[in-house]
Amino acid sequence: RAETSTNAIYVRFGDKDGLFTAIVEPCMKGFIRQFLDSQERFHAYDAHTQIKEAESYTDKSVHGLIDYVYDHYDEFRLLMDPSYGKRFENFIHEVAELETEYTFKYLQSIGWTVKENSPMDETFLHLLMSGYFDAWFEPIRHEMDREHAKQFIHLLQQYHKAGVLATYLSETSRP
C-alpha cells in the first residue's frame, strides 16, 4: 500500500525493528509526556487543592489519555501485541513506576504516613500500579471501541480506587 519496495523500507529503517520503532516509539513517548504533564500540573497544587480536586482531575486526565491512545489506536495495538512489542515490553512498567512515584508524592503532600513495619511500601504500590496499567490497556488488546474503553476504564478506576483506599486506611495513619 505504500507503493514502495521492501528494499526502500530497509534502506530507510534498517530492519523490521527499525520500522516498528519509527511507528510506535513517538506514540509511546507522547503518552508518557501527556501522563507526566498531567502529574506535574496536579502536584503543583497545594495539598488542600489536591485533596479537593483529586477525583475530578484524575477522571479528566484519564479521559485525555484514553483519547490519546485511541487517536493512535493502530500504533498502540502494535505496542500491546506481544509478538511485535518485545522491544517496548517495559512500557507499562515505566508508566507504573511513574504512577508509583507520583502517588507517593501525593500521599506525602497530604500528610499520610505508613505505619512502621507495614508491607505497604513502594514495591507493593508498584505491583498494584503494574496490574492497574496492564488492565488499563486491555481495551486495546480486545479491540474495544473508544466509548466502551472509557466505560471499562472508569469501572477499573472505581475498583482500583476503592481497593487502594481500603488498603491505605488499614496500613497508614493520618495526622
Side-chain angles (χ1 to χ4, degrees), residues 75-92:
E75 294 89 334
F76 278 95
R77 281 280 301 143
L78 284 172
L79 186 61
M80 293 298 121
D81 187 325
S83 62
Y84 294 111
K86 209 81 162 134
R87 180 163 185 256
F88 297 100
E89 64 189 341
N90 288 328
F91 170 66
I92 290 175

Side-chain angles (χ1 to χ4, degrees), residues 95-109:
V95 174
E97 282 287 313
L98 293 169
E99 181 67 17
T100 301
E101 175 187 341
Y102 281 96
T103 299
F104 266 98
K105 283 181 182 181
Y106 171 68
L107 293 173
Q108 289 172 341
S109 74

Side-chain angles (χ1 to χ4, degrees), residues 8-172:
I9 291 172
Y10 285 123
V11 167
R12 173 142 187 188
F13 300 104
D15 56 17
K16 287 180 184 178
D17 190 47
L19 176 60
F20 181 81
T21 298
I23 294 170
V24 301
E25 191 170 46
C27 294
M28 182 185 75
K29 286 181 176 182
F31 179 91
I32 291 174
R33 187 174 42 256
Q34 186 170 331
F35 180 83
L36 280 172
D37 288 349
S38 176
Q39 292 285 1
E40 289 297 325
R41 279 191 308 275
F42 179 76
H43 289 284
Y45 295 149
D46 62 75
H48 175 74
T49 304
Q50 285 184 19
I51 292 168
K52 183 179 158 197
E53 299 295 326
E55 189 167 344
S56 64
Y57 189 91
T58 299
D59 288 345
K60 182 180 169 188
S61 296
V62 166
H63 279 273
L65 288 169
I66 294 168
D67 284 335
Y68 181 87
V69 168
Y70 274 81
D71 289 346
H72 301 90
Y73 183 82
D74 291 336
E75 294 89 334
F76 278 95
R77 281 280 301 143
L78 284 172
L79 186 61
M80 293 298 121
D81 187 325
S83 62
Y84 294 111
K86 209 81 162 134
R87 180 163 185 256
F88 297 100
E89 64 189 341
N90 288 328
F91 170 66
I92 290 175
H93 173 79
E94 290 174 37
V95 174
E97 282 287 313
L98 293 169
E99 181 67 17
T100 301
E101 175 187 341
Y102 281 96
T103 299
F104 266 98
K105 283 181 182 181
Y106 171 68
L107 293 173
Q108 289 172 341
S109 74
I110 65 170
W112 288 65
T113 56
V114 176
K115 293 176 187 174
E116 194 173 320
N117 298 320
S118 170
M120 178 68 115
D121 59 10
E122 258 187 271
T123 301
F124 175 80
L125 192 56
H126 175 75
L127 292 172
L128 214 60
M129 296 306 168
S130 292
Y132 171 73
F133 281 106
D134 196 48
W136 205 94
F137 283 96
E138 283 300 304
I140 296 294
R141 291 182 186 107
H142 292 278
E143 301 179 14
M144 287 182 194
D145 63 66
R146 187 184 303 238
E147 290 310 309
H148 192 195
K150 285 182 178 182
Q151 292 170 358
F152 171 84
I153 292 173
H154 176 73
L155 289 173
L156 179 64
Q157 280 181 271
Q158 289 179 316
Y159 180 83
H160 180 75
K161 182 173 41 179
V164 169
L165 181 59
T167 303
Y168 277 116
L169 291 175
S170 70
E171 292 293 329
T172 59

